[in-house]
Amino acid sequence: MILWSVTYLVGTIRYELYIAHMFQQNSYKPREYREWMQVHSNVGRLLGKCLYAILSLPLLWVGNLVCLMIACLMNVMTIWVNKPRKAKKPLVYTPRVKRMLITTAVIYVLGIVIPVVTGIIRGMAVERIVQMTGIVLLVLFLLTPFLILLVNLLNRPVEKGINQHYINDAARILSQMPDLKIIGVTGSYGKTSVKYFLNTLLSGQFNVLHTPGNFNTTLGVVRTIREQMKPFHEIFICEMGAREVGDIKEICDLVHPDYGIITSIGPQHLQSFHTIENIIGTKFELADAIPQEGKVFLNYDNEYIRNHLTDKTVVSYGTAGTNGQIDYRAYDITVSPEGSAFKMKDQSGQEYEFHTRLVGNHNVQNIAGAIAVANTLGISMDKLIYPVKQLESVAHRLQLVKQGNRILLDDSYNSNKNGFKAALDTLAMFKELRILMTPGMVELGEKQYDENKEVGVYAADKCDYAVLVGKEQTKPIQDGLTEAGFPSNRMIVVDTLQEAFQMVNAIPGEKQKVVLIENDLPDNYA
């Protein structure tokens, strides 16, 4: 019985940690987490992780030694299927996660203590008490994916109070720096790249602080301000992420940006936004927050941005010609294994040529946006030539990596239709053997099949081989490639990323290989 209890406890803890990890991956947002649970593949995954524990308890109740040993074996299987695996974003034991785990443990303890005490008071037999306790444990285990929602609800008043304290402290720090210029950066994609590019271009003349990594939520911005903001900082570049309407406004209400840049708008996170109109409105919450004397920098290559009206002073940038004038346009773009080159003009019409180690039209587009902001803030174009040359690829965002006899275009951070197409356009510009490796796109709601099929059609003449990760996951891309006449013998479907690399190595040909790695599924989909 002791062996059973220990193995059941270890299995339960591992399952709880997995659920906490998934809740964290879904940004601690109940609606997004519930939608994640409803995905067919995730339902099967959750069932697989708790099935052996479900079988263990009834075997325990039979009472004989053989069933007890089988029940222990079931518990060992529960431990095994819930063993920690290498994650792209491991569970971070933040104070919030620790409080959630403690609250969960309290609920489990109560689930054991209450039936035991009740049974003793009522004079029940030990076997009956064990059975009652087992039923409670079984119910709790079955409801673990939902239990995290209850825990989140119970902890909400505490979390809200703690968060508000930190927000107030960050607001206090900003209020003591009236001369600080704040630049908000948002977009469906490209915002992290633009943030880093802008930091590089501005740092030669100003003391700059930017939000690190993916610290683009309200609390991420708060943490940056409280831990890193110093009195000598002159500019704060604040990346602003959003998964729901109002997220950008919440950050803007804290930092009150003087300038804003909207890098892109596309059908990303449709599971939470539901409509493209909601995405547009949310991204333009940044423009709405800019004061009349400020400026908002808009990527006019993006039709959603270009066609959305704002009453703020607009500075446009991009790479393509439109019916309207673009204030900062990059043109004559060329790409090679060494990077990209392009030209731009300042507001007086003087032409400048820029070189960068980065590749891809959308990287040039993002650099053009950063140049537009830097030049508007007083840095001359000729002084931006060298910093542009020094720009580093943002990891996993169309990052050019030379690896032996092949070139990797690592665009694995996440994927959306426009970014996917832009990466394919970059792949198409290479003269080497072009290979697409992708599991497709996720979090697109009811549009997931159509969006993936569309990029499959688009990819047909942009690559020589397509290595697709996941038979069911990539079915829409397979259909798109087939519809566009892509040769079936050059379409390779595998189960894992490791297998994908093995197949890439096995592709024959004397040409150097250029491999576009488009998307790498997050842990809650992988």
Side-chain angles (χ1 to χ4, degrees):
M1 189 65 185
I2 293 176
L3 178 61
W4 181 91
S5 300
V6 171
T7 53
Y8 193 85
L9 177 62
V10 173
T12 299
I13 290 173
R14 284 194 168 180
Y15 187 48
E16 289 288 347
L17 291 176
Y18 170 76
I19 295 298
H21 187 198
M22 295 303 100
F23 193 61
Q24 187 179 73
Q25 288 275 292
N26 284 282
S27 305
Y28 303 107
K29 294 189 176 181
R31 186 176 71 178
E32 291 187 20
Y33 173 74
R34 288 195 299 268
E35 289 172 346
W36 170 81
M37 282 198 298
Q38 292 168 8
V39 175
H40 180 73
S41 60
N42 293 332
V43 172
R45 186 176 293 114
L46 288 170
L47 181 60
K49 287 181 173 293
C50 69
L51 179 62
Y52 295 108
I54 295 171
L55 297 174
S56 173
L57 280 163
L59 287 169
L60 177 68
W61 298 334
V62 174
N64 63 54
L65 182 60
V66 173
C67 288
L68 179 61
M69 295 306 296
I70 295 175
C72 289
L73 179 61
M74 293 295 101
N75 291 343
V76 171
M77 292 299 296
T78 301
I79 295 170
W80 185 79
V81 298
N82 286 283
K83 65 180 180 180
R85 60 189 178 89
K86 186 177 180 180
K88 304 169 190 77
K89 291 184 179 180
L91 174 64
V92 181
Y93 289 90
T94 62
R96 178 172 183 171
V97 167
K98 291 176 183 177
R99 288 190 290 269
M100 288 170 54
L101 293 176
I102 290 171
T103 303
T104 303
V106 170
I107 292 174
Y108 266 89
V109 169
L110 290 175
I112 295 173
V113 170
I114 291 175
V116 170
V117 172
T118 302
I120 292 173
I121 292 174
R122 294 183 177 181
M124 295 180 179
V126 173
E127 292 79 5
R128 176 60 177 162
I129 293 175
V130 170
Q131 191 176 41
M132 284 177 55
T133 305
I135 291 172
V136 172
L137 288 174
L138 179 59
V139 170
L140 286 174
F141 202 100
L142 286 170
L143 295 179
T144 292
F146 304 94
L147 184 63
I148 198 80
L149 295 172
L150 174 62
V151 169
N152 182 66
L153 183 64
L154 292 173
N155 288 359
R156 182 179 294 174
V158 174
E159 301 299 338
K160 187 174 181 180
I162 292 172
N163 292 345
Q164 193 58 53
H165 166 73
Y166 292 148
I167 290 171
N168 291 343
D169 190 46
R172 176 190 60 79
I173 293 170
L174 291 177
S175 69
Q176 296 174 350
M177 302 180 67
D179 296 328
L180 180 72
K181 296 297 181 185
I182 298 175
I183 304 171
V185 184
T186 193
S188 298
Y189 40 90
K191 56 184 176 292
T192 302
S193 296
V194 169
K195 173 185 68 178
Y196 284 121
F197 298 165
L198 194 52
N199 178 69
T200 299
L201 300 190
L202 294 176
S203 292
Q205 190 161 316
F206 301 99
N207 286 312
V208 183
L209 172 67
H210 64 82
T211 49
N214 290 321
F215 279 38
N216 59 16
T217 64
T218 300
L219 292 181
V221 173
V222 165
R223 182 176 173 183
T224 303
I225 295 169
R226 295 182 69 243
E227 295 180 0
Q228 300 185 36
M229 184 70 73
K230 304 298 179 185
F232 55 76
H233 283 126
E234 299 171 286
I235 292 178
F236 177 39
I237 304 172
C238 180
E239 181 180 346
M240 301 178 178
R243 297 177 80 93
E244 293 182 351
V245 174
D247 283 354
I248 302 296
K249 183 180 184 301
E250 184 175 83
I251 300 174
C252 289
D253 288 344
L254 167 65
V255 302
H256 303 292
D258 302 288
Y259 303 93
I261 179 168
I262 303 178
T263 63
S264 60
I265 292 177
Q268 194 173 33
H269 302 310
L270 277 173
Q271 280 185 289
S272 54
F273 279 113
H274 301 294
T275 69
I276 189 68
E277 288 75 22
N278 285 339
I279 298 175
I280 295 169
T282 301
K283 301 306 178 185
F284 270 86
E285 288 171 0
L286 173 56
D288 296 339
I290 301 300
Q292 290 300 326
E293 64 273 16
K295 293 179 180 179
V296 57
F297 298 81
L298 301 180
N299 174 12
Y300 266 29
D301 286 350
N302 186 282
E303 61 178 333
Y304 295 120
I305 296 176
R306 187 172 64 247
N307 296 331
H308 190 84
L309 298 177
T310 176
D311 60 351
K312 302 302 167 62
T313 301
V314 171
V315 177
S316 58
Y317 69 91
T319 62
T322 65
N323 292 331
Q325 180 183 1
I326 293 182
D327 297 311
Y328 289 86
R329 186 172 75 91
Y331 56 93
D332 289 352
I333 303 169
T334 59
V335 174
S336 73
E338 303 306 316
S340 304
F342 61 94
K343 295 176 181 177
M344 288 185 73
K345 294 180 180 179
D346 61 17
Q347 296 305 289
S348 69
Q350 177 68 39
E351 184 179 76
Y352 299 85
E353 185 169 339
F354 293 90
H355 295 267
T356 175
R357 287 173 285 186
L358 281 61
V359 295
N361 187 75
H362 64 291
N363 265 326
V364 173
Q365 190 181 81
N366 291 332
I367 294 171
I371 289 173
V373 176
N375 187 238
T376 300
L377 291 180
I379 303 178
S380 61
M381 296 286 268
D382 61 315
K383 290 184 178 178
L384 293 172
I385 293 175
Y386 180 75
V388 167
K389 192 178 293 186
Q390 299 306 306
L391 290 175
E392 298 283 347
S393 296
V394 179
H396 313 303
R397 290 171 172 85
L398 206 61
Q399 181 182 16
L400 191 152
V401 180
K402 293 183 179 180
Q403 192 179 76
N405 65 341
R406 67 186 178 193
I407 298 170
L408 299 184
L409 297 179
D410 184 354
D411 201 34
S412 62
Y413 175 70
N414 60 26
S415 191
N416 55 79
K417 184 176 70 175
N418 289 354
F420 201 142
K421 287 184 175 181
L424 286 168
D425 287 338
T426 302
L427 180 65
M429 297 175 77
F430 283 86
K431 297 178 181 179
E432 290 76 8
L433 188 67
R434 304 162 304 174
I435 302 169
L436 167 66
M437 181 194 301
T438 183
M441 301 175 290
V442 297
E443 294 185 337
L444 295 175
E446 62 184 15
K447 292 188 176 182
Q448 185 147 319
Y449 179 88
D450 292 338
E451 299 281 288
N452 277 287
K453 182 179 179 182
E454 184 178 334
V455 297
V457 172
Y458 193 80
D461 63 350
K462 306 292 189 304
C463 61
D464 301 306
Y465 283 86
V467 181
L468 308 177
V469 184
K471 183 177 180 180
E472 294 302 320
Q473 175 73 27
T474 61
K475 184 64 166 60
I477 297 179
Q478 297 171 45
D479 292 345
L481 287 166
T482 301
E483 182 178 298
F486 192 80
S488 59
N489 64 337
R490 295 197 169 201
M491 192 189 313
I492 304 168
V493 182
V494 297
D495 293 323
T496 67
L497 193 64
Q498 183 178 4
E499 290 179 73
F501 275 110
Q502 291 172 352
M503 295 307 298
V504 166
N505 293 335
I507 291 174
E510 296 181 0
K511 279 186 175 182
Q512 186 178 27
K513 297 173 183 176
V514 179
V515 185
L516 169 61
I517 306 173
E518 184 60 30
N519 203 15
D520 186 8
L521 293 180
D523 295 296
N524 48 327
Y525 282 90

